[in-house]
Amino acid sequence: MITTIIGVLEEGLVYAIMALGVYITYSILDFPDLSVDSTFPLGAAVTAVAIIAGVPPVLTLPLTFLAGAAAGCATGLIHVKLKVRDLLSGIIVMTALYSINLRIAGRANLPIFSQKTIFDGDFAAMLPEALSPYAVPIILFILVVICKIVLDLYLKTKSGYLLRAAGDNEVLVTSLAKDKGSVKILGLAIANGFAALAGCVYCQQKGFFEISTGTGTMVIGLANVIIGTQLFKRVSFMKATTAVIIGSIIYKACVSIALSLGAIHIGRVTISLPITASDLKLATSVLFLIILVLGNRKGKKGKLHA
């Protein structure tokens, strides 16, 4: 039981970093950025190659963030400068990054099991002996908190307020003599930076880069954001970034429970559910669909009562 809980926390915290980026594109910019599906493995590819080359694991964190930011800038430039629709811009970059990721890693699967990572470095050695078995979730929690604080502080700056305005009211940004296109590009850069950073942490946690790890990342990120923002939207003292992080953990817990179900007992009738790990993407899609349907119903009820 404890092992399952730790596993859920680890997975939830890794994807929480990525969900913070999706929160920027989905909730703030209202931009359907599908390039996240490839910037996540981009971070993993850069991490694996850098660590094998002897780069200290800690330095791979800012390195992958910059790589993801560059990919986000590419999406933004295609949309803003070349006037390509937002959805198509993300698809173009996502498709191109698939080949770029393979070029960076040199192959579809690149293990780093024998290399040092942030989870077995100097910081992990500093932990008390009683906490050493929980080094991974502790380090992940610290990383997530740092990302959350940095994002919260940024959103309180002038640039952060302009980013919010670009999603809500582009005319306001223009009236302030600011280029709304540049603001969008910056937001996409930050969002994809977080996605690549999550891929970096994922690679070091799992011990390998795999080209297919990004498949469905955007769906997972959206589910995390929607769960968090819907469940805690009435909790006034909770920041949206905190809600997104908690939503990521809840989502992973739901997926874990769904995969652990072997059968459903209704009275004397037993319905077998041959769900295995290979059904993860199916469980993810079904759960995301349920979340969207419930979210839409709540929204309609709220409008009727209003």
Side-chain angles (χ1 to χ4, degrees), residues 6-18:
I6 292 175
V8 168
L9 281 174
E10 290 178 1
E11 289 281 328
L13 289 171
V14 168
Y15 282 99
I17 299 173
M18 181 269 298

Side-chain angles (χ1 to χ4, degrees), residues 5 15 23 41 49 61 100 107 112 135 137 150-151 157 162 168 186 188 190 192 203 209 267 275 278:
I5 293 173
Y15 282 99
Y23 167 72
V49 171
L61 299 176
I100 293 172
R107 47 180 168 164
I112 56 169
V150 170
L151 181 57
T157 64
L162 283 173
D168 294 333
L186 177 60
L188 287 167
I190 296 171
N192 282 276
C203 175
F209 155 76
I275 300 176
S278 62

Side-chain angles (χ1 to χ4, degrees), residues 14 51 85 167 199 204 261 263 275:
V14 168
I51 288 178
R85 290 180 59 183
Q204 297 192 54
L261 291 175
I275 300 176

Side-chain angles (χ1 to χ4, degrees), residues 5-268:
I5 293 173
I6 292 175
V8 168
L9 281 174
E10 290 178 1
E11 289 281 328
L13 289 171
V14 168
Y15 282 99
I17 299 173
M18 181 269 298
L20 290 174
V22 176
Y23 167 72
I24 295 173
T25 55
Y26 175 75
S27 295
I28 296 179
L29 286 178
D30 192 22
F31 191 105
D33 183 20
L34 293 182
S35 61
V36 170
D37 274 20
S38 285
T39 47
F40 184 86
L42 171 65
V46 171
T47 300
V49 171
I51 288 178
I52 291 173
V55 176
V58 175
L59 292 183
T60 62
L61 299 176
L63 182 64
T64 52
F65 187 92
L66 291 175
C73 285
T75 303
L77 288 170
I78 292 172
H79 171 63
V80 175
K81 302 300 181 182
L82 301 182
K83 308 300 181 183
V84 178
R85 290 180 59 183
D86 48 12
L87 184 63
L88 293 177
S89 300
I91 292 174
I92 290 169
V93 174
M94 176 186 70
T95 306
L97 281 177
Y98 185 90
S99 296
I100 293 172
N101 292 340
L102 287 174
R103 283 280 185 177
I104 293 171
R107 47 180 168 164
N109 189 299
L110 185 60
I112 56 169
F113 296 113
S114 60
Q115 306 293 327
K116 286 283 186 181
T117 67
I118 56 174
F119 300 109
D120 52 18
D122 296 334
F123 181 79
M126 292 168 57
L127 292 174
E129 189 175 347
L131 296 177
S132 57
Y134 311 106
V136 174
I138 290 172
I139 293 172
L140 282 173
F141 178 77
I142 292 171
L143 284 174
V144 171
V145 170
I146 291 172
C147 290
K148 172 197 154 37
I149 292 173
V150 170
L151 181 57
D152 285 340
L153 291 174
Y154 168 73
L155 291 175
K156 290 180 179 179
T157 64
K158 181 180 179 180
S159 177
Y161 284 121
L162 283 173
L163 188 66
R164 291 180 183 275
D168 294 333
N169 189 348
E170 293 184 354
V171 178
L172 175 61
V173 178
T174 306
S175 67
L176 294 172
K178 300 294 181 180
D179 182 11
K180 62 183 180 182
S182 299
V183 176
K184 279 188 177 181
I185 293 171
L186 177 60
L188 287 167
I190 296 171
N192 282 276
F194 277 119
L197 179 60
C200 168
V201 176
Y202 181 89
C203 175
Q204 297 192 54
Q205 180 205 12
K206 299 296 184 182
F208 62 88
F209 155 76
E210 170 61 47
I211 190 64
S212 63
T213 52
T215 306
T217 302
M218 181 62 179
V219 173
I220 295 172
L222 280 175
N224 297 345
V225 172
I226 293 171
I227 288 175
T229 53
Q230 286 291 328
L231 284 180
F232 303 104
K233 63 181 178 180
R234 298 186 185 279
V235 184
S236 58
F237 62 85
M238 182 179 292
K239 290 183 179 292
T241 49
T242 305
V244 167
I245 292 169
I246 297 174
S248 178
I249 296 171
I250 293 173
Y251 174 78
K252 279 299 173 183
C254 291
V255 172
S256 178
I257 292 169
L259 292 177
S260 65
L261 291 175
I264 296 177
H265 301 283
I266 305 176
R268 296 181 180 181

